[in-house]
Amino acid sequence: MEKELERETESRRENSMADHGLEAGMDEVKEEGKAGETAAAGESMEDYSKELEASFRQIKEGDILSGAVLSVSEEEVVLDLNYYAQGVVKAGDMSNDPKYNVMEDVKVGDTIKGTVISTDDGAGNIQLSCKEAREALAWDIVKQYMDEGKEINVKISEVVNGGVIAYAEGIRGFIPASHLSLGYVEDLSAWVGKQVGVKVITVEEGRKKLVLSAKLVEKEKAEAETQRKISMLAPGTVLEGQVESLKEYGAFIALPGGLSGLVHISQISQKRISKPSEVLKMGDKVKVKVLNSNNGKISLSMKAVEEDSKPDEVDERRASEYSSHERIGTSLGDLMKNLKLNP
């Protein structure tokens, strides 16, 4: 009887432990289920929030949107616009460049911009054009270049009536022949293929009009070089120049290095004159002294050169002492003759 009682007690203990283990396992399963439900609920809420946000967005034709590339094919590029509809860009709307290859130039994950050309392409997608987006953004860029006076480099592609064509930010720009260089340009075809620095002088997006100028860039560089040369002229420097024009108030002198300076009428001659033409004529070669170079203008004097070359009065007096007809002796007797001794 005792052995049977012990076996029954042991059996009950084992069954109790098994029931406890089962309950613990069930509790773990329940906890994991709750965690999964919580995570799923979080993800669902996040997705719902995105969808809700997307549903409030209003997209219209002409908008410029950014999207991540989901897929690329020979026919089109599909974009994730973070919207309930995907974006589609037809291969022909990707670029104006004839060398553009959509399969090589676009990769999954790339972010690209496109202008909305249709809110429904018939398949529920938003149709976009990268070409139009690029052009719209480009007009803003060239307008900024003009406002800032920024110099940009362009390549001249062809000759047209009255000038040449060059592209800036993908926009066809016109450079009039009069704005191609500081000097007169006779053969425009010689400029085709050249890279030139230009400034934007006209932007009219509505008329698709973009006008560029290389002349302005050359002019600014020439002026900067002139100012550099002028800054190196020290007052008192004597130069040789040529009379290039005569005015009532003075004479303009062409100087070395392409510089030009003014000799005021009061600085032309030691004697009083009523007009520069009394002592100067066009083409005369003259020597001038730099008085100053303030504000980028060179002030010169011919009179100062004459004054510098005039013998000193003391030197003249001393020279006159030896200009008499008396013989100048160098013997000891001659030297002692003029020596006065005090008694």
Side-chain angles (χ1 to χ4, degrees):
M1 286 292 292
E2 291 180 359
K3 290 183 179 181
E4 289 179 0
L5 183 60
E6 288 178 1
R7 282 197 299 268
E8 184 177 350
T9 301
E10 184 68 25
S11 177
R12 287 178 180 178
R13 187 183 297 116
E14 290 176 355
N15 290 337
S16 176
M17 291 179 63
D19 290 343
H20 181 72
L22 180 60
E23 289 176 2
M26 290 298 292
D27 289 341
E28 290 180 3
V29 170
K30 288 179 181 179
E31 289 298 324
E32 290 177 0
K34 288 179 181 180
E37 289 174 2
T38 302
E43 292 176 359
S44 298
M45 286 299 294
E46 185 177 348
D47 292 341
Y48 175 73
S49 178
K50 289 181 179 179
E51 290 178 5
L52 185 63
E53 181 183 350
S55 67
F56 282 110
R57 290 178 63 191
Q58 292 187 355
I59 294 176
K60 59 184 181 299
E61 292 182 7
D63 287 351
I64 297 178
L65 307 178
S66 294
V69 176
L70 296 176
S71 63
V72 183
S73 68
E74 293 284 356
E75 293 76 28
E76 63 186 23
V77 176
V78 179
L79 305 177
D80 178 7
L81 301 175
N82 192 25
Y83 193 62
Y84 63 80
Q86 292 181 333
V88 173
V89 185
K90 300 297 182 183
D93 290 326
M94 287 297 298
S95 175
N96 283 318
D97 188 349
K99 297 180 180 180
Y100 188 86
N101 187 316
V102 67
M103 296 298 292
E104 295 180 359
D105 297 329
V106 181
K107 306 297 181 186
V108 172
D110 289 351
T111 298
I112 61 177
K113 291 183 177 182
T115 298
V116 177
I117 58 178
S118 175
T119 55
D120 189 345
D121 65 351
N125 300 310
I126 296 174
Q127 189 171 351
L128 305 157
S129 171
C130 291
K131 290 194 298 187
E132 289 193 16
R134 198 170 290 117
E135 184 175 339
L137 294 172
W139 281 106
D140 291 338
I141 293 172
V142 294
K143 176 66 166 56
Q144 185 176 354
Y145 289 161
M146 182 177 69
D147 294 340
E148 296 176 353
K150 183 178 179 179
E151 177 186 344
I152 58 175
N153 290 318
V154 298
K155 184 177 181 179
I156 297 174
S157 60
E158 61 179 306
V159 176
V160 294
N161 185 30
V164 296
I165 297 298
Y167 285 82
E169 299 297 331
I171 300 174
R172 190 174 188 264
F174 176 63
I175 306 177
S178 59
H179 276 271
L180 197 53
S181 177
L182 279 174
Y184 174 72
V185 178
E186 184 174 354
D187 183 12
L188 294 176
S189 62
W191 288 75
V192 175
K194 286 186 177 182
Q195 291 275 354
V196 294
V198 298
K199 290 200 171 186
V200 179
I201 58 176
T202 302
V203 176
E204 295 182 19
E205 182 178 355
R207 298 176 59 190
K208 304 296 181 183
K209 183 178 181 181
L210 176 65
V211 183
L212 312 171
S213 175
K215 180 179 180 178
L216 284 181
V217 175
E218 286 191 5
K219 183 179 180 182
E220 289 181 1
K221 290 181 178 179
E223 289 175 349
E225 178 62 15
T226 296
Q227 291 302 316
R228 186 189 69 81
K229 290 179 180 179
I230 290 175
S231 66
M232 296 176 67
L233 286 177
T237 303
V238 175
L239 303 169
E240 186 172 293
Q242 189 171 16
V243 177
E244 60 180 355
S245 67
L246 296 173
K247 306 293 182 182
E248 292 184 359
Y249 51 84
F252 283 95
I253 311 298
L255 302 172
L259 301 178
S260 179
L262 172 67
V263 181
H264 189 266
I265 189 171
S266 63
Q267 295 293 324
I268 289 178
S269 177
Q270 294 281 356
K271 63 181 183 179
R272 186 183 298 275
I273 58 175
S274 59
K275 53 185 178 180
S277 58
E278 291 180 14
V279 293
L280 293 173
K281 64 180 183 296
M282 295 283 292
D284 280 355
K285 290 186 177 181
V286 295
K287 284 189 175 181
V288 293
K289 177 183 278 190
V290 177
L291 298 180
N292 62 67
S293 56
N294 298 331
N295 301 319
K297 297 179 180 180
I298 306 173
S299 296
L300 305 170
S301 174
M302 293 170 56
K303 186 167 70 174
V305 176
E306 292 180 12
E307 291 174 350
D308 289 345
S309 62
K310 185 178 179 180
D312 186 270
E313 292 182 1
V314 176
D315 291 339
E316 284 185 345
R317 187 171 63 252
R318 289 175 179 173
S320 65
E321 292 176 0
Y322 295 101
S323 64
S324 65
H325 296 293
E326 296 180 1
R327 182 178 62 84
I328 300 175
T330 58
S331 65
L332 180 60
D334 292 329
L335 295 173
M336 293 297 294
K337 181 173 64 175
N338 294 323
L339 181 65
K340 293 181 180 181
L341 301 176
N342 292 324

